[in-house]
C-alpha cells in the first residue's frame, strides 16, 4: 500500500517515454514510405521530418536518464500517456499534409490510435491520409507497448509490469516477451488473412490494404466517404464481417486452433459472444422499418450487429434514419463489445458474464442461510472480491462518463438518442455515427468525443490517475500517515 501514497518516479516515466518515442519513429516511417510509393513527395517530407524529430527527442531522453525498474503505478501512467502522445505526433504531419485544422487532425489521430473510427475529415483528403489513418488503427489495435516490449525492453520486472498495465493477466507463453511476440505473429497472420479475403471479394489492392488494417484492429475507417455502402454485392461485406470477428476474438485462443481446437469452442466468453450476435441480429431485424427482401434484411442485420459488438464500426445502411428501437439495439451491442484479449473495445463480454454472475449470486443468497459461502466462478476461475470491486468501479465510472458526455451533447441541441449513440460509440471505441459527428460540430463536442475515445481505449482508471495530483506530487498528509505507521 505504500506505493499508492507516493508519487511516480518522474525520471522513470520520462525514460520509458523515451523508449516509446524511439519505437514510434518506425510507426511514422511507414506512412513516409507509403507517401513515396503513392507519389506524394510533400507528404513524405512531412511524415519523414516528423519521424526524424521524434527519434532525436526520444534518443536524447533515453541517453540522458539511467535505467529504472518500473513500479505498477508508473507502468499505468506510461500506458495512459502513450495514446494521447501517439495521437499528437500523428496529427502533426496529418494536419500539414491535408491542411486540416489541428483539432480535426488530432480528432482523426485519436480516433485512429484508439481504433474508434469516428471521423470529421473532409471527403477529398487523399490516399496518403487514408492509409495513415488505417495504419494508425492497426498500430493502436495491438498497442505500441507491444512494439516497445518486443524490441526495446529486456525481460524482467519492468517488462512484466508494462505488459500487465496494458494487457492484464492474459498470457500465451511462459514469459512476457515471448507472449508479446506470439501476439504480434497472430496479429500479422489474421491481417494477411483479411487482406486475402478482401482481394478475393473484388476490392482493389489499396482499398484492401487499408480495410484489412482497419478490420483486424476493429477500427472502422474506410477509404470511401459512404463506407461499405459504396461497394456492391455481398462478398465485400462478408469479408469485412469475417475480418472484424477475427480481430474481436481473444488472441489467446488462436494458438490452440491447430493443437486443441476443442478448447476454442468450449471457451465460455466466445460462446456468449456468438450468442449475443445471434440474438442481437434477430432483434435488430425486427426493428428495421424497410421494404427489403428477407435475404437483404438478414444480411444487413447481421453485418450491423457484428460491426457494433466487435466495435469495428463499418456500416452498410444510413444509421441516421434508423428508428429509436434500432438505435437502442446497436447501443446495447456497442456497450457489450468484444472479447478480453482482442482488439475490440466496449465493456467486454467477460465483464458482462461476471456482472450476470454477480447478479445471480446476489439473488441466490436471498434464499440461503447467511453463513453459506457461495463463490462466484467463471469456468475454473474463482472470482476474488477485488475483481468484483474493480468491476463495480469500472461500471460506475463508465456510466457516469456516458451520462455526463451525453448531457453535454444535449446542451448543444442534439436529441437524447443521438447523444447517447455518439457517446456510446466513442466510449466503446466503435465509430458508428447517427449523424451528429461532423467537421462542423462545436469544438467542445469534439473534445468530449476525444476524451471519451481515450477513456474507452485506456479503460478509464489509468487516464484518471494521470490527472490526480497525488500521482505527480508528494502529499503531506500521506507522509504523516506513513510516519505514524
Amino acid at each position: 500500500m505504500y506505493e499508492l501514497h507516493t508519487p511516480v518516479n518522474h525520471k522513470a516515466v520520462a525514460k520509458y517515454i523515451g523508449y516509446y518515442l524511439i519505437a514510434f519513429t518506425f510507426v511514422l516511417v511507414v506512412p513516409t514510405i507509403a507517401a513515396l510509393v503513392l507519389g506524394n513527395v510533400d507528404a513524405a517530407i512531412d511524415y519523414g521530418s516528423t519521424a526524424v524529430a521524434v527519434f532525436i527527442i526520444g534518443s536524447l531522453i533515453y541517453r540522458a536518464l539511467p535505467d529504472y525498474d518500473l513500479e505498477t503505478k508508473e507502468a499505468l501512467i506510461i500506458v495512459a500517456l502513450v495514446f494521447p502522445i501517439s495521437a499528437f505526433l500523428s496529427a502533426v504531419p496529418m494536419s500539414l499534409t491535408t491542411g486540416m485544422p489541428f483539432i480535426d487532425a488530432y480528432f482523426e489521430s485519436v480516433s485512429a490510435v484508439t481504433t474508434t473510427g469516428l471521423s470529421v475529415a473532409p471527403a477529398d483528403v487523399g490516399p496518403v491520409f487514408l492509409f495513415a489513418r488505417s495504419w494508425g488503427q492497426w498500430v493502436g489495435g495491438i498497442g505500441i507497448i507491444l512494439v516497445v516490449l518486443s524490441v526495446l525492453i529486456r525481460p524482467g520486472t519492468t517488462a512484466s509490469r508494462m505488459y500487465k498495465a496494458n494487457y492484464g493477466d492474459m498470457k500465451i507463453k511462459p514469459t512476457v516477451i515471448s507472449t508479446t511476440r506470439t501476439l504480434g505473429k497472430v496479429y500479422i497472420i489474421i491481417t494477411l488473412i483479411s487482406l486475402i479475403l478482401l482481394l478475393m471479394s473484388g476490392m482493389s489492392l489499396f482499398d484492401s490494404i487499408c480495410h484489412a488494417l482497419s478490420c483486424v484492429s476493429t477500427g472502422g475507417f474506410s477509404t470511401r466517404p459512404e463506407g461499405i455502402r459504396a461497394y456492391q454485392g455481398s462478398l465485400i461485406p462478408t469479408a469485412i464481417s469475417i475480418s472484424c470477428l477475427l480481430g474481436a476474438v481473444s488472441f489467446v485462443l488462436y494458438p490452440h486452433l491447430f493443437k486443441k481446437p476443442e478448447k476454442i469452442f468450449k471457451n465460455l466468453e466466445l460462446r456468449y459472444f456468438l450468442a449475443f450476435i445471434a440474438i442481437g441480429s434477430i432483434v435488430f431485424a425486427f426493428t428495421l422499418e424497410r421494404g427489403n427482401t428477407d435475404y437483404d434484411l438478414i444480411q444487413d442485420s447481421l453485418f450491423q450487429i457484428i460491426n457494433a459488438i466487435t466495435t469495428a464500426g463499418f456500416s452498410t445502411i444510413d444509421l441516421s434514419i434508423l428508428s429509436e428501437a434500432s438505435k437502442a439495439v446497436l447501443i446495447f451491442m456497442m456497450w457489450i463489445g468484444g472479447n478480453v484479449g482482442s482488439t475490440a473495445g466496449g465493456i467486454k463480454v467477460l465483464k458482462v458474464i461476471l456482472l450476470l454472475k454477480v447478479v445471480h449470486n446476489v439473488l441466490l443468497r436471498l434464499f440461503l442461510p447467511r453463513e453459506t459461502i457461495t463463490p462466484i466462478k467463471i469456468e475454473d476461475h474463482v472470482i476474488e472480491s477485488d475483481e468484483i470491486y474493480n468491476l463495480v468501479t469500472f461500471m460506475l465510472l463508465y456510466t457516469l462518463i456516458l451520462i455526463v458526455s451525453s448531457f453535454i451533447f444535449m446542451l448543444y441541441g442534439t436529441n437524447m438518442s443521438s447523444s447517447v449513440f455518439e457517446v456510446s460509440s466513442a466510449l466503446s471505441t466503435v465509430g458508428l455515427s447517427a449523424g451528429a459527428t461532423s467537421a462542423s460540430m462545436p469544438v467542445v463536442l469534439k473534445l468530449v468525443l476525444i476524451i471519451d475515445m481515450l477513456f474507452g481505449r485506456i479503460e478509464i482508471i489509468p487516464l484518471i490517475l494521470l490527472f490526480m495530483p497525488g500521482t505527480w506530487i508528494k502529499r503531506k498528509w500521506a507522509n504523516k500517515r506513513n510516519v505514524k505507521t
Side-chain angles (χ1 to χ4, degrees):
M1 291 299 292
Y2 173 76
E3 179 188 337
L4 298 176
H5 296 292
T6 57
V8 297
N9 184 334
H10 302 73
K11 291 182 179 180
V13 171
K15 174 72 174 184
Y16 287 93
I17 290 297
Y19 272 119
Y20 148 72
L21 291 176
I22 294 172
F24 197 76
T25 300
F26 300 100
V27 175
L28 292 171
V29 166
V30 174
T32 305
I33 297 171
L36 290 173
V37 172
L38 294 167
N40 192 330
V41 178
D42 291 338
I45 292 172
D46 290 334
Y47 277 96
S49 56
T50 304
V52 171
V54 170
F55 182 81
I56 291 172
I57 294 170
S59 298
L60 289 173
I61 296 172
Y62 165 72
R63 292 177 182 277
L65 297 169
D67 287 328
Y68 294 93
D69 285 331
L70 291 180
E71 301 287 351
T72 300
K73 61 188 176 186
E74 289 151 3
L76 287 171
I77 292 303
I78 291 169
V79 169
L81 286 170
V82 157
F83 289 95
I85 293 175
S86 299
F88 178 84
L89 297 176
S90 299
V92 172
M94 189 176 287
S95 180
L96 293 172
T97 302
T98 62
M100 292 171 60
F102 187 79
I103 183 65
D104 288 1
Y106 188 67
F107 185 100
E108 295 293 315
S109 296
V110 170
S111 189
V113 299
T114 60
T115 70
T116 304
L118 287 171
S119 179
V120 295
D124 56 345
V125 284
V128 175
F129 171 84
L130 296 174
F131 173 81
R133 282 196 319 181
S134 297
W135 170 248
Q137 287 195 323
W138 192 81
V139 172
I142 195 62
I144 188 66
I145 296 297
L146 184 140
V147 178
V148 176
L149 287 172
S150 299
V151 180
L152 297 176
I153 295 183
R154 297 187 299 273
T157 304
T158 292
S160 178
R161 286 172 175 168
M162 285 281 285
Y163 177 89
K164 188 172 182 179
N166 202 57
Y167 301 107
D169 294 320
M170 177 187 72
K171 279 190 179 180
I172 300 175
K173 299 287 184 178
T175 67
V176 164
I177 301 300
S178 60
T179 295
T180 56
R181 290 173 181 167
T182 302
L183 287 174
K185 291 175 184 176
V186 168
Y187 198 48
I188 292 170
I189 290 170
I190 64 174
T191 303
L192 293 174
I193 292 172
S194 175
L195 177 61
I196 293 169
L197 289 174
L198 291 167
L199 287 170
M200 290 176 63
S201 67
M203 193 177 277
S204 70
L205 178 60
F206 178 78
D207 286 2
S208 295
I209 292 172
C210 291
H211 282 92
L213 295 174
S214 294
C215 284
V216 298
S217 63
T218 60
F221 276 138
S222 178
T223 55
R224 305 289 183 91
E226 308 90 347
I228 307 305
R229 284 178 289 164
Y231 300 97
Q232 300 298 318
S234 61
L235 288 178
I236 289 176
T238 301
I240 293 285
S241 296
I242 294 171
S243 302
C244 295
L245 287 170
L246 289 174
V249 172
S250 177
F251 285 14
V252 174
L253 297 178
Y254 285 112
H256 300 296
L257 189 59
F258 299 107
K259 296 180 180 179
K260 296 180 180 179
E262 69 279 359
K263 191 169 183 177
I264 296 176
F265 299 105
K266 289 181 180 179
N267 182 265
L268 182 65
E269 186 180 26
L270 181 59
R271 284 186 282 137
Y272 266 81
F273 179 60
L274 297 175
F276 282 135
I277 291 174
I279 295 169
S281 300
I282 295 170
V283 175
F284 186 69
F286 278 114
T287 66
L288 292 177
E289 299 173 354
R290 298 185 297 130
N292 275 348
T293 62
D294 290 341
Y295 176 77
D296 289 334
L297 188 68
I298 294 171
Q299 183 186 25
D300 285 342
S301 298
L302 185 59
F303 181 87
Q304 216 53 69
I305 290 300
I306 286 175
N307 275 272
I309 197 168
T310 62
T311 71
F314 293 106
S315 179
T316 54
I317 58 179
D318 184 359
L319 303 183
S320 64
I321 62 173
L322 291 180
S323 66
E324 300 298 292
S326 297
K327 289 180 183 177
V329 176
L330 291 180
I331 289 170
F332 185 70
M333 292 293 110
M334 289 192 291
W335 287 345
I336 293 174
N339 291 189
V340 171
S342 71
T343 62
I347 294 171
K348 302 289 174 60
V349 175
L350 191 62
K351 289 181 182 177
V352 173
I353 296 172
L354 177 54
L355 192 62
L356 294 174
K357 293 271 188 182
V358 170
V359 172
H360 176 264
N361 191 272
V362 170
L363 295 175
L364 181 65
R365 289 188 63 83
L366 294 175
F367 300 94
L368 296 174
R370 193 172 182 180
E371 64 273 10
T372 303
I373 299 174
T374 53
I376 299 174
K377 294 180 66 177
I378 294 181
E379 295 183 323
D380 297 327
H381 177 61
V382 178
I383 306 301
E384 302 292 338
S385 58
D386 283 350
E387 295 177 77
I388 298 174
Y389 295 148
N390 290 338
L391 174 65
V392 172
T393 302
F394 174 83
M395 292 302 301
L396 178 62
L397 291 172
Y398 188 95
T399 305
L400 183 61
I401 293 167
L402 180 68
I403 292 171
V404 172
S405 300
S406 300
F407 182 70
I408 294 173
F409 264 78
M410 285 184 274
L411 287 176
Y412 278 82
T414 308
N415 64 60
M416 181 181 289
S417 63
S418 294
S419 297
V420 175
F421 193 96
E422 301 295 308
V423 170
S424 297
S425 183
L427 193 54
S428 295
T429 67
V430 181
L432 293 174
S433 175
T437 302
S438 68
S440 60
M441 69 192 301
V443 173
V444 172
L445 298 187
K446 291 177 183 177
L447 292 173
V448 168
L449 292 181
I450 286 171
I451 293 170
D452 287 344
M453 288 188 283
L454 290 170
F455 269 129
R457 180 61 180 87
I458 303 171
E459 297 217 343
I460 301 177
I461 299 296
L463 198 61
I464 290 177
L465 290 177
L466 194 62
F467 294 99
M468 291 179 63
T471 301
W472 306 100
I473 304 169
K474 187 177 290 186
R475 296 166 292 183
K476 293 181 180 180
W477 66 267
N479 289 340
K480 292 179 180 178
R481 183 173 177 178
N482 290 331
V483 169
K484 288 180 180 179
T485 56

